[in-house]
Amino acid sequence: MDTLRIIDAHSHLWLRQDTTVNGQAVRTLSPNGSRSLFLGEERQMLPPFLIDGRNTAEVFLSNMDYAQVSAAVVVQEVIDGNQNDYLQQVQRQWPDRFFCMGMALTREEAEAARKAGLKGIAVPGHRLTLPLTDLLPMFRLMETEGMVLSMCLADDERQIAEMAEVIRECPRLKVAIGHFGMVTTPSFESQVKLALLGENVRVEAGGITWLYNDEFYPFPSAIRSLHEAAGWVGMDKLMWGSDYPRTITAITYRMSYDFVLKSRELSEEDKRLFLGENARRFYGLDPLIELPYIKNMSE
């Protein structure tokens, strides 16, 4: 990893979960704050040693330093509640390590997020009931202001045509399609091929280890899917993402990319592009910090 700079293109931060989604609660539980009430059931939301329910930048930075991840893109999801205020603080405090996105559904909300220093808007499209084209006024503002759109789509074909229209209407808007196009669902190919519609469209692999969780490490089907997606749109359109912290309830943070780094089915150049270089250019993350490898006590 001497010359490799790794960038996480899909992660999450929050101070506390306390929201509702479709009338159902999502909130941190007590006394074990690593667990949350999630849409009617108790779920292990954080690794069990994070007992205060806080998924903070400081803890993430410790994981990033340990795993030698130079920078991370922080997106948002409605299940975590609106974290705009907290992410403004994170962006101000660690501008060289984080690229933080706001949550917004209107032009005015997006403009407020931009003025507060947030770099883009994350839209969890898979949880929306309105057409994506209803958000075109916001997307046009983002295009004009150079903001990045992080878009997660439903796991079927319902939103493909709508997203294609957004890309055509806003050709200069930088768009990152999330969750690796929901790789284990029938919409995978359609979502990935959206990247062919514009030079500013990418696909990031946030949550790929979650989607292949039943297979588990070293996720051979994920490597095959990465090859398949690269065959459709080119490796230069694809970016690694972890979906931290939810994915590290099952694996370590380093494991969320280590299966790519150790794969014999990918070239060194493919690894360099996918794990960092593509994201560096797309998000304008420069310069990147160089992190040394620190030996474990078990070595």
Side-chain angles (χ1 to χ4, degrees), residues 97-140:
R97 303 299 301 276
F98 293 115
F99 185 105
C100 295
M101 297 201 176
M103 181 177 288
L105 290 177
T106 69
R107 179 186 175 94
E108 292 73 23
E109 291 172 346
E111 176 65 4
R114 184 191 70 81
K115 289 181 177 178
L118 297 174
K119 304 293 187 178
I121 298 297
V123 176
H126 58 306
R127 300 194 188 275
L128 299 182
T129 56
L130 74 165
L132 298 180
T133 48
D134 284 5
L135 304 180
L136 274 170
M138 181 177 79
F139 296 148
R140 290 191 177 106

Side-chain angles (χ1 to χ4, degrees), residues 175-181 191-193 195 201-205 233 237-240 274:
V175 180
I177 304 296
H179 291 162
F180 208 54
Q191 290 201 33
V192 170
K193 287 185 174 179
V201 185
R202 302 289 185 272
V203 178
E204 47 90 341
V233 303
K237 290 273 192 174
L238 308 177
M239 306 181 294
W240 169 70
F274 179 65

Side-chain angles (χ1 to χ4, degrees), residues 263-276:
S263 173
R264 296 181 179 180
E265 299 177 43
L266 297 168
S267 70
E268 293 305 305
E269 178 64 7
D270 284 346
K271 295 173 185 178
R272 186 183 74 88
L273 292 174
F274 179 65
L275 290 175

Side-chain angles (χ1 to χ4, degrees), residues 8-12 73 75 77 126 150 152 177-185 188 203-216 219 222 225 239-248 250-251 253 255-257 259-260 274:
D8 188 341
H10 187 118
S11 64
H12 300 274
V73 179
V75 301
E77 233 276 32
H126 58 306
S150 168
C152 292
I177 304 296
H179 291 162
F180 208 54
M182 293 302 291
V183 59
T184 56
T185 73
F188 173 49
V203 178
E204 47 90 341
I208 193 170
T209 61
W210 150 59
L211 289 160
Y212 283 110
N213 182 64
D214 289 344
E215 182 178 89
F216 204 65
F219 309 105
S225 296
M239 306 181 294
W240 169 70
S242 69
D243 210 5
Y244 175 99
R246 282 177 272 267
T247 47
I248 65 166
I251 59 175
Y253 185 51
M255 288 169 70
S256 65
Y257 75 79
F259 74 99
V260 174
F274 179 65

Side-chain angles (χ1 to χ4, degrees), residues 12-14 16-19 21 25-29 32-55 77-81 127 243-250:
H12 300 274
L13 295 173
W14 64 78
R16 189 171 182 85
Q17 289 182 313
D18 186 10
T19 189
V21 179
V26 181
R27 67 171 183 270
T28 300
L29 294 175
N32 185 350
S34 68
R35 297 178 182 177
S36 292
L37 176 64
F38 178 72
L39 308 181
E41 61 178 329
E42 185 174 337
R43 299 289 290 269
Q44 190 72 43
M45 190 65 66
L46 293 170
F49 49 81
L50 296 179
I51 60 174
D52 62 358
R54 291 164 56 89
N55 169 34
E77 233 276 32
V78 294
I79 63 174
D80 303 324
R127 300 194 188 275
D243 210 5
Y244 175 99
R246 282 177 272 267
T247 47
I248 65 166
T249 59

Side-chain angles (χ1 to χ4, degrees), residues 270-286:
D270 284 346
K271 295 173 185 178
R272 186 183 74 88
L273 292 174
F274 179 65
L275 290 175
E277 179 58 19
N278 292 339
R280 183 190 68 79
R281 291 185 296 207
F282 184 71
Y283 294 103
L285 295 167
D286 214 13

